[in-house]
């Protein structure tokens, strides 16, 4: 808006003519809770800890809305702890007390009180009474004019032990101006006619305009689905999710859409009203496949978030890759299983969601895939199975005749324990199925092999981590046969893998084999397995591999191949791409082989031979290059998507940047796969695998460089094809 000079003159005049406002008394800060201790304030009980918390405490949802770096957070010791925190006396020397309050909504139990002469004269609670909700603190204000000049104390109370049994408080100020208090939270509800194929949900990417809510879709009293989603406060989404309604059998019905859990910020109403039913075509765009931050030859969902690869199995001529999938945001949550298939590990077809969560409280966590070749479950020979953790139930199995639509076993859950990530395979010598599964409860095995002090200092919560083994003849009933653990608990954490590999020497079989027990953090043990017990001969070996996590191998791969895919953990690029629609990806498939070394057998990681299908042009080929020549060649040729094969004249640690990403490695040669946000470096004939992610700055400056003084014996750079449909064409699998 621009004001004319005449109007400005008039306004200035009017203001000058108005009576002078009462002298503004400056605000008085009663407490900003920025120190490491509570100073003159006194505590009782455990809930308030020794001092203000530096934000979120372990096990707590993200706390925000406080000022500075610290706040009062009574989640010390979790929701079970109770206590009080009381201020020294102070004078009510201004008209208002302004403060920030969050946490539990229990009157008198998770509250902040103002006491005058010992009497509670004002009180405030957080907004949350039910599961879900938000840890955000919100402004509150008390008009205290009637107590002007009186002495008061603030008392913060946590007397509630169950869910939301804590309170968050910050920035208590005396002021003559009442704080702007947002309108009270509301519950939103509206009918929704299912006259189309998808639920279209406006999504806010992480940031101050994103409000976390839980939405429920109801058919009468029956919950059709519920999910956690961040709605935009200003009504303007960053992108829109398209969620298939077909599998819920609700076509033609009028459902009710509601916010669940604690009431929500009323500013989400505009976005809530924009939630619609319609065709996915209304919101999906061909450009989804070609966004600048979308990897060109690494698997990822079309939109949303992925983490672990799941259900890896070869079946009837197709490689199946499922993955942990959040259809409703670019951060972790709402775990479904997404699905791709390929005849050749390089051409991929997007398939419908294979496993749907039953609300966020019963999500579909990781597990493996396998084939019941001999019909042990009585559902037909060659039936495809997946094993998964249902977070609300336990370890479960589902099967499929066509590899696309899955049906659960009526016996589910087949194993109940505190754990997750079942991997099932056939153990031929005992003619039994074996489940290797992450377990986290005290057992004879964790007592016999306690956690080391070093591991306890690094990962205290993994005290009871172990990989348990169960066996079964028919897939329907399972019996625990034992567990393996190690003092270094990170080596037996999450997503276990167990398989047998031949030991090679100079590339040839030695006749020996070893069993490999492999954990999510890429540490592995070598040993024997008799169908019940894993006995380690050596380990843990291996390292973290950079941004590579929760890997899994294909069951049933032809020719005894052991092919692994992991989750590549990439950053968000919201500063540059605020409307980012997809986040994370899976690694390239690479083959695991076991090689004799003077220290005993060790794994190597080799990209599968099929990946050469992706090469579409030889951008550079040269030999015996100086560092400057190699730098010039890479600068001209190595932009993503590309594959670089580099051999240095000498072995050692080589410093190298390709397309803005650190591609340094140890050894003589490496194959380096450069995609838009990830770089995979297979060095020294697969002895070392490192994954690095693109720093945000590299979008501006995608430089390539070989360190001065280096000599390059040979260099080849290939351009690689995208595995996605080109922009403008109709996408695969739709
Ligand atoms: C590993 C993991 C698994 C779990 C899954 C949930 O990244 O934590 O243990 O099943 O992710 O998405």
């Amino acid at each position: 808006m621009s004001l004319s000079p005449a109007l400005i003159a008039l306004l200035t005049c009017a203001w000058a003519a108005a009576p002078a406002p009462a002298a503004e008394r400056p605000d008085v800060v009663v407490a900003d809770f920025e120190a490491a201790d509570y100073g003159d304030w006194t505590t009782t009980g455990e809930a308030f800890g020794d001092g203000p918390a530096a934000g979120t405490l372990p096990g707590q949802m993200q706390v925000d809305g406080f000022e500075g770096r610290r706040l009062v957070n009574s989640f010390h010791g979790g929701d079970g702890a109770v206590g009080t925190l009381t201020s020294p006396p102070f004078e009510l020397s201004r008209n208002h007390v302004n403060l920030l309050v969050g946490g539990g909504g229990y009157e008198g139990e998770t509250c902040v009180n103002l006491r005058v002469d010992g009497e509670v004269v004002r009180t405030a609670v957080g907004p949350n009474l039910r599961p879900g909700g938000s840890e955000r603190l919100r402004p509150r204000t008390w008009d205290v004019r009637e107590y002007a000049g009186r002495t008061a104390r603030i008392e913060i109370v946590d007397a509630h032990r169950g869910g939301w049994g804590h309170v968050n408080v910050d920035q208590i100020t005396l002021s003559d101006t009442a704080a702007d208090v947002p309108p009270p939270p509301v519950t939103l509800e509206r009918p929704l006619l299912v006259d189309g194929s998808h639920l279209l949900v406006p999504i806010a990417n992480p940031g101050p305009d994103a409000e976390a809510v839980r939405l429920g879709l109801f058919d009468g009293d029956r919950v059709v689905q519920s999910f956690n989603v961040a709605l935009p406060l200003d009504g303007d989404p960053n992108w829109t999710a398209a969620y298939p309604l077909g599998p819920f059998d609700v076509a033609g019905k009028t459902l009710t859409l509601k916010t669940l859990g604690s009431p929500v910020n009323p500013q989400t109403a505009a976005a809530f009203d924009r939630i619609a039913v319609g065709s996915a075509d209304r919101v999906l765009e061909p450009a989804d496949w070609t966004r600048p931050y979308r990897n060109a030859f690494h698997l990822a969902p079309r939109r949303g978030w992925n983490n672990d690869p799941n259900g890896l199995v070869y079946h009837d001529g197709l490689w199946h890759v499922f993955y942990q999938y959040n259809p409703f945001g670019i951060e972790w949550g709402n775990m479904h299983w997404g699905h791709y298939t390929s005849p050749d590990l390089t051409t991929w077809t997007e398939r419908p969601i294979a496993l749907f969560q039953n609300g966020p409280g019963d999500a579909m966590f990781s597990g493996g895939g396998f084939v019941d070749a001999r019909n042990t479950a009585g559902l037909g020979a060659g039936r495809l199975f997946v094993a998964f953790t249902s977070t609300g139930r336990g370890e479960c199995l589902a099967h499929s005749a066509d590899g696309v639509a899955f049906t659960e076993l009526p016996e589910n859950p087949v194993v109940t324990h505190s754990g997750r990530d079942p991997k099932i395979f056939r153990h031929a010598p005992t003619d039994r199925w074996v489940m290797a599964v992450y377990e986290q409860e005290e057992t004879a095995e964790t007592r016999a092999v306690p956690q080391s002090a070093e591991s306890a200092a690094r990962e205290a919560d993994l005290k009871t981590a172990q990989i348990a083994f169960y066996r079964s003849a028919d897939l329907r009933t399972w019996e625990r046969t034992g567990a393996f653990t190690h003092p270094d608990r990170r080596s037996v954490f999450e997503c276990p893998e167990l398989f047998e590999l031949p030991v090679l020497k100079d590339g040839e079989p030695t006749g020996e084999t070893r069993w490999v027990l492999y954990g999510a953090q890429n540490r592995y043990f070598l040993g024997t397995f008799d169908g019940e017990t894993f006995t380690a001969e050596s380990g843990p070996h291996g390292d973290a591999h950079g941004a590579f996590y929760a890997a899994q191998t294909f069951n049933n791969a032809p020719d005894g191949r052991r092919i692994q895919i992991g989750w590549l953990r990439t950053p968000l690029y919201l500063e540059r791409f605020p409307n980012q629609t997809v986040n994370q990806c899976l690694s390239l498939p690479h083959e695991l082989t076991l090689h004799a070394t003077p220290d005993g057998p060790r794994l190597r990681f080799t990209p599968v031979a099929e990946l050469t299908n992706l090469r579409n042009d030889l951008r550079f080929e040269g030999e015996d290059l100086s560092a400057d020549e190699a730098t010039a060649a890479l600068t001209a040729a190595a932009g993503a998507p590309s594959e670089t094969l580099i051999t240095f004249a000498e072995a050692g640690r080589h410093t190298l940047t390709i397309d803005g990403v650190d591609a340094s490695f140890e050894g003589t040669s490496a194959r380096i796969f450069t995609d838009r946000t990830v770089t995979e470096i297979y060095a020294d004939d697969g002895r070392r695998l490192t994954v690095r992610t693109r720093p945000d700055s590299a979008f501006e400056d995608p430089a390539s460089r070989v360190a001065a003084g280096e000599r390059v014996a040979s260099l080849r750079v290939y351009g690689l094809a995208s595995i996605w449909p080109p922009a403008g064409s109709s996408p695969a699998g739709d």
Side-chain angles (χ1 to χ4, degrees), residues 60-79:
Q60 189 175 28
M61 290 195 296
Q62 179 77 29
V63 178
D64 56 18
F66 57 98
E67 276 182 30
R69 298 163 58 98
R70 293 173 185 271
L71 76 157
V72 173
N73 182 341
S74 79
F75 196 70
H76 289 273
D79 279 331

Side-chain angles (χ1 to χ4, degrees), residues 515-540:
W515 283 82
V516 184
L517 187 66
Y518 196 107
Q521 308 217 4
N522 301 304
R523 270 53 175 208
Y524 65 92
F525 296 87
L526 299 174
T528 56
F529 182 67
D530 61 6
E532 296 183 15
T533 306
F534 175 80
T535 310
E537 269 171 16
S538 69

